Amino acid sequence: MVGSLLRDIHNIAKGMPDVSIMEVCGGHTNVIMRYGIRSLLPKNIKLISGPGCPVCVTSQKDIDSVVALALSGVPIATYGDMFRVPGSNMSLEDVKVNGTKIFEVLSTTDVLDLAKEHKDIVFFGIGFETTVPMTAYLLEKNICVYSTHKLMIPPMKALLKDEIKIDGFIDPGHVSTIIGYNVWDELNVPQAISGFSPKQIFESVYEILKMIKSGQKSVVNCYDSVVTCDGNIKANDLINKTMKVSDAEWRGIGVIPNSGLEPKDDECNAKIKYQEILKNVKSEKDNSACRCSEILKGLIEPKDCKLFGNVCTSSAPKGACMVSDEGTCSIAYRYS
Amino acid sequence: MRVHVQLLIGIRDFMVSFIKDDKISLSEGSGGEEMQNLITTFRDTFGGSGNWNNSDNDSATILIGDKYIFFTSDSFVVDPIFFNGRDIGHLAMCGTINDIAVMGAKPLGISVSFVIEEGFSKSDLDKIIKSIADVSKATNIPVVTGDTKVMECGKIDKIIINTSAVGISDTVLDESICDGDVIIVSGSIGDHGASLMAVRLDFDTNLKTDSKPIVDEVLKIKHLIKVAKDPTRGGIAAILNEMAEKDSVQLYIDESKIPVKREVLSLCDVLGISPYEMACEGRFVCVAKKDDAREVVNLLREFDVNADVIGSVRVGKGVVLKTKFGERILSNPRGRIIPRIC
């Protein structure tokens, strides 16, 4: 099955000009690297990795702010991946070992349990649309949230206006389970929503190539076992009830208008509730030699960064792309 | 409020200036690169080990007369302490017994020491010591000494068990591996790690831990193999890398041959973690000459039908995985296993 798909890809690619397809989900990058998919594609078909790892795009300032809250005695709960992300001086892991109240949670229901003992707990919310419903659920229960939640479509729009040439997108499967496939139309480029098997990646590449060849600019759903037209309506209702769209800072990219989500209720917004502490947080500039920003935009590959594999390794990450297992550099380090 | 905030900021700045890089983190105890660095610090500080050989093996050994004495020690913490029919006591016995077993010996006796949190349930403790007794009886390895401490409530998390064992044998299973040798696994991998992860995450699965003593299996094939390792923390990814590095060879593994249960694979896929990094507590990987491989597998299948050849030793370095579509490096796991965010 995969063999015949690959043959179809090679056949359709014959005579096509160079094509760049961006996958924006770290999960897809992982599958692509794990199975060596790039090496199996025709030479003129290039897969490039985009800003699809939520850990990697969390700004240094957000990490510094949550570190400041923790050091000020505010109990913090967040997912394990966030602990090692470097801030200006420290990561959450650095401060966790010093008796601050930072709790690793596997799901937001753990936060509710923690809240019984720590009434003023702040949930450090992270992730694209996939994880937003869980945070929205906490907000409904009046748990205070420091939100770094981000929306997937705005940076993709921004990238299309950027210096990099993108002919099509492999759209993220999990995000699409929440937002559905209709909304992707607004990007107006060939796209395929993919699942996480090699076969689904090949199918998506093939569908995108077909569209490019015929001049079509629409969305093909290659993950129809879980992605529907309108997405998860109940989850979206909950998000709309508790959160509002805002501008957000992306590490390495900068502020993208209307690309983030914040709690609607100021009482549950840690950025407002603790503004006295947070206004004094001063973030340093990112490590100047670190080229995460270009990697996140797909402009360069990890090996093009001088720090990669030398001073920046998975056990001692310098840049955000090396921290998370879904980060482009971490994946490249693991599989190369 | 104003004074309060300023004070907090002052405390924060003070802490920032002092605390970085001076504290142990969880990843330094998780079987990856960070833990190796910590162990190197221990070794360097402790200095030599006399006549004992303790180079990166599961047990230290010393030759006395014409017999080798084996000595190993391990501390056990696990969350939850009871999991799919097993518990920390069973784990503490099997872990240490297996560390002697993979060196080609059977423990003569074992010590069991408890550090228990004040308020710990006596009936739970009864269950744990019953498990220890059951393993002791089944393997005919007596518990010969031990210690008990009770800590103030909140000072430790429920219970910590340390077990140490001494074994004796004429030979040590520690031969160098070389180009052409064959790599064999004794059963399906990752069951223990995945089953614990499922319990922690409240997933309903049929997975059971693989925790069991492997003495009989190893001793049965000892004469046919060069070396054996049990893939506990860090899974087979860690021990395969360890073996490759130790003898400066490359281990070439055929992914399709690695026995992994579908449920383990699915769980790992959902969580974004590698089954090869999942701990096993009743499995081992061994290396044999090519000509002996079939016999080793046949003998191991008397214990577990999933035993199989998974790859071979080649000239080169590192661990290379032959995947469905090509090849990739199987790298040493780093730090803690963290389920992906989305």
Side-chain angles (χ1 to χ4, degrees):
Chain A
M1 181 64 196
V2 170
S4 69
L5 256 175
L6 256 176
R7 269 194 301 280
D8 290 344
I9 289 173
H10 278 263
N11 284 338
I12 197 169
K14 261 180 214 155
M16 281 179 90
D18 286 353
V19 172
S20 295
I21 300 171
M22 177 178 271
E23 88 275 356
V24 284
C25 172
H28 287 153
T29 308
N30 200 25
V31 176
I32 289 164
M33 294 297 283
R34 182 171 155 195
Y35 292 100
I37 285 175
R38 283 198 182 113
S39 64
L40 299 169
L41 294 176
K43 285 208 163 50
N44 55 335
I45 310 300
K46 196 173 163 200
L47 293 183
I48 46 180
S49 306
C53 162
V55 179
C56 306
V57 295
T58 301
S59 76
Q60 196 156 291
K61 191 176 173 208
D62 283 324
I63 300 292
D64 291 342
S65 298
V66 179
V67 163
L69 290 180
L71 288 175
S72 305
V74 179
I76 305 285
T78 191
Y79 302 121
D81 255 12
M82 296 313 294
F83 280 75
R84 286 155 49 98
V85 186
S88 297
N89 291 307
M90 302 172 83
S91 66
L92 285 174
E93 191 168 71
D94 292 330
V95 286
K96 182 177 181 254
V97 292
N98 285 281
T100 50
K101 287 180 269 182
I102 307 181
F103 304 95
E104 181 182 331
V105 292
L106 290 165
S107 99
T108 43
T109 52
D110 296 345
V111 182
L112 291 179
D113 290 339
L114 283 165
K116 287 176 197 156
E117 198 182 327
H118 307 278
K119 298 265 179 263
D120 53 347
I121 197 149
V122 169
F123 177 63
F124 182 15
I126 162 103
F128 296 109
E129 287 89 338
T130 325
T131 57
V132 175
M134 285 77 95
T135 301
Y137 171 72
L138 286 181
L139 286 168
E140 204 188 28
K141 304 276 177 194
N142 294 318
I143 301 288
C144 188
V145 168
Y146 186 103
S147 172
T148 60
H149 283 294
K150 293 186 171 59
L151 303 171
M152 199 69 255
I153 293 180
M156 290 165 76
K157 268 190 192 163
L159 281 170
L160 285 172
K161 289 182 201 148
D162 214 332
E163 55 203 288
I164 185 168
K165 170 183 166 285
I166 299 169
D167 301 299
F169 282 115
I170 297 179
D171 292 335
H174 293 148
V175 166
S176 303
T177 58
I178 304 295
I179 65 174
Y181 64 75
N182 258 352
V183 289
W184 295 105
D185 271 335
E186 65 174 292
L187 286 175
N188 201 28
V189 285
Q191 299 158 75
I193 297 167
S194 178
F196 297 86
S197 71
K199 182 175 157 262
Q200 285 162 321
I201 299 278
F202 286 128
E203 270 170 5
S204 300
V205 170
Y206 180 62
E207 292 296 338
I208 290 168
L209 292 179
K210 265 201 322 197
M211 280 185 265
I212 292 172
K213 198 148 196 174
S214 63
Q216 243 186 309
K217 290 178 177 175
S218 59
V219 187
V220 175
N221 183 5
C222 298
Y223 199 25
D224 57 3
S225 55
V226 288
V227 176
T228 59
C229 174
D230 297 319
N232 186 329
I233 293 166
K234 204 171 169 188
N236 286 316
D237 286 348
L238 188 61
I239 295 167
N240 292 332
K241 188 178 153 195
T242 56
M243 302 184 91
K244 60 184 179 196
V245 173
S246 66
D247 297 349
E249 189 178 342
W250 295 59
R251 189 184 286 238
I253 297 175
V255 175
I256 302 177
N258 300 321
S259 67
L261 289 167
E262 292 290 347
K264 268 186 183 166
D265 179 0
D266 288 352
E267 280 295 304
C268 289
N269 187 343
K271 289 177 192 168
I272 293 172
K273 190 174 173 187
Y274 295 106
Q275 53 187 314
E276 283 296 314
I277 296 172
L278 297 176
K279 74 178 184 193
N280 292 295
V281 174
K282 287 185 184 65
S283 288
E284 285 168 18
K285 278 195 146 190
D286 291 355
N287 187 331
S288 58
C290 175
R291 299 181 72 184
C292 277
S293 59
E294 292 156 275
I295 290 166
L296 287 167
K297 291 189 207 168
L299 291 169
I300 63 164
E301 290 180 31
K303 63 177 168 48
D304 301 323
C305 175
K306 273 187 189 153
L307 303 185
F308 178 75
N310 298 317
V311 287
C312 185
T313 62
S314 60
S315 52
K318 292 281 178 276
C321 296
M322 187 61 95
V323 172
S324 163
D325 276 354
E326 305 276 290
T328 307
C329 292
S330 173
I331 295 168
Y333 185 73
R334 200 157 59 236
Y335 295 133
S336 58
Chain B
M1 180 65 189
R2 179 90 206 139
V3 175
H4 177 58
V5 169
Q6 282 304 331
L7 181 67
L8 289 175
I9 292 164
I11 295 169
R12 184 197 78 203
D13 292 346
F14 174 79
M15 287 174 80
V16 168
S17 59
F18 277 93
I19 61 186
K20 251 204 116 187
D21 293 334
D22 190 39
K23 305 272 172 151
I24 287 287
S25 67
L26 275 174
S27 56
E28 280 165 291
S30 301
E33 282 173 35
E34 292 97 325
M35 197 178 88
Q36 284 309 322
N37 294 338
L38 186 65
I39 292 173
T40 305
T41 310
F42 289 155
R43 280 182 180 281
D44 292 349
T45 312
F46 295 156
S49 52
N51 292 327
W52 287 85
N53 178 5
N54 66 354
S55 54
D56 296 330
N57 278 327
D58 292 284
S59 305
T61 54
I62 189 168
L63 184 63
I64 296 181
D66 58 352
K67 298 272 188 203
Y68 286 95
I69 304 293
F70 299 75
F71 183 34
T72 194
S73 182
D74 209 340
S75 297
F76 293 82
V77 284
V78 62
D79 177 32
I81 49 178
F82 293 95
F83 46 91
N84 46 57
R86 297 289 189 213
D87 58 58
I88 187 172
H90 191 271
L91 209 58
M93 286 295 278
C94 295
T96 292
I97 290 170
N98 293 348
D99 278 347
I100 297 270
V102 290
M103 299 294 291
K106 181 175 175 176
L108 290 171
I110 192 162
S111 76
V112 182
S113 297
F114 299 92
V115 186
I116 308 166
E117 186 184 15
E118 175 191 25
F120 189 76
S121 151
K122 274 196 172 168
S123 60
D124 282 350
L125 185 62
D126 284 344
K127 283 184 214 157
I128 292 168
I129 55 176
K130 167 93 175 32
S131 302
I132 292 173
D134 288 346
V135 178
S136 171
K137 271 182 214 135
T139 53
N140 202 18
I141 299 167
V143 177
V144 291
T145 184
D147 180 51
T148 307
K149 296 277 183 295
V150 177
M151 298 280 289
E152 206 179 313
C153 186
K155 298 285 181 190
I156 62 155
D157 188 16
K158 299 183 199 77
I159 189 165
I160 301 170
I161 301 179
N162 174 278
T163 47
S164 302
V166 174
I168 190 164
S169 175
D170 296 336
T171 53
V172 179
L173 199 48
D174 188 22
E175 211 179 309
S176 293
I177 58 174
C178 58
D179 184 24
D181 287 346
V182 168
I183 305 153
I184 297 156
V185 66
S186 71
S188 62
I189 58 121
D191 297 16
H192 174 74
S195 72
L196 263 186
M197 192 68 93
V199 175
R200 274 181 211 148
L201 296 173
D202 207 12
F203 286 1
D204 193 13
T205 70
N206 293 319
L207 286 170
K208 294 259 178 266
T209 171
D210 51 39
S211 174
K212 67 166 190 198
I214 54 173
V215 182
D216 294 345
E217 285 164 77
V218 180
L219 294 187
K220 185 126 194 180
I221 57 161
K222 183 184 164 184
H223 60 292
L224 295 166
I225 59 173
K226 293 183 159 188
V227 67
K229 289 253 167 211
D230 58 334
T232 50
R233 258 178 314 181
I236 62 163
I239 56 149
L240 291 173
N241 274 288
E242 206 179 303
M243 286 176 169
E245 196 173 325
K246 192 175 174 213
D247 290 325
S248 303
V249 287
Q250 183 176 88
L251 304 194
Y252 190 76
I253 307 294
D254 184 345
E255 191 168 37
S256 68
K257 297 278 185 201
I258 304 176
V260 193
K261 293 198 173 119
R262 275 183 72 92
E263 229 170 342
V264 172
L265 270 182
S266 302
L267 188 79
C268 287
D269 257 0
V270 167
L271 299 173
I273 49 191
S274 164
Y276 311 133
E277 296 183 13
M278 286 266 150
C280 311
E281 293 291 344
R283 306 278 186 252
F284 63 97
V285 173
C286 59
V287 179
K289 283 183 192 149
K290 197 178 175 192
D291 292 344
D292 296 328
R294 198 33 51 201
E295 194 180 347
V296 171
V297 170
N298 287 341
L299 288 170
L300 285 177
R301 283 191 179 160
E302 291 174 17
F303 298 88
D304 190 326
V305 289
N306 292 311
D308 212 341
V309 169
I310 58 166
S312 56
V313 180
R314 307 203 303 198
V315 176
K317 61 176 189 174
V319 182
V320 176
L321 207 56
K322 178 175 171 276
T323 69
K324 221 185 280 179
F325 306 111
E327 291 175 354
R328 73 171 170 93
I329 301 285
L330 180 63
S331 52
N332 216 355
R334 63 136 222 245
R336 290 184 303 141
I337 294 175
I338 301 168
R340 68 166 164 233
I341 288 178
C342 59

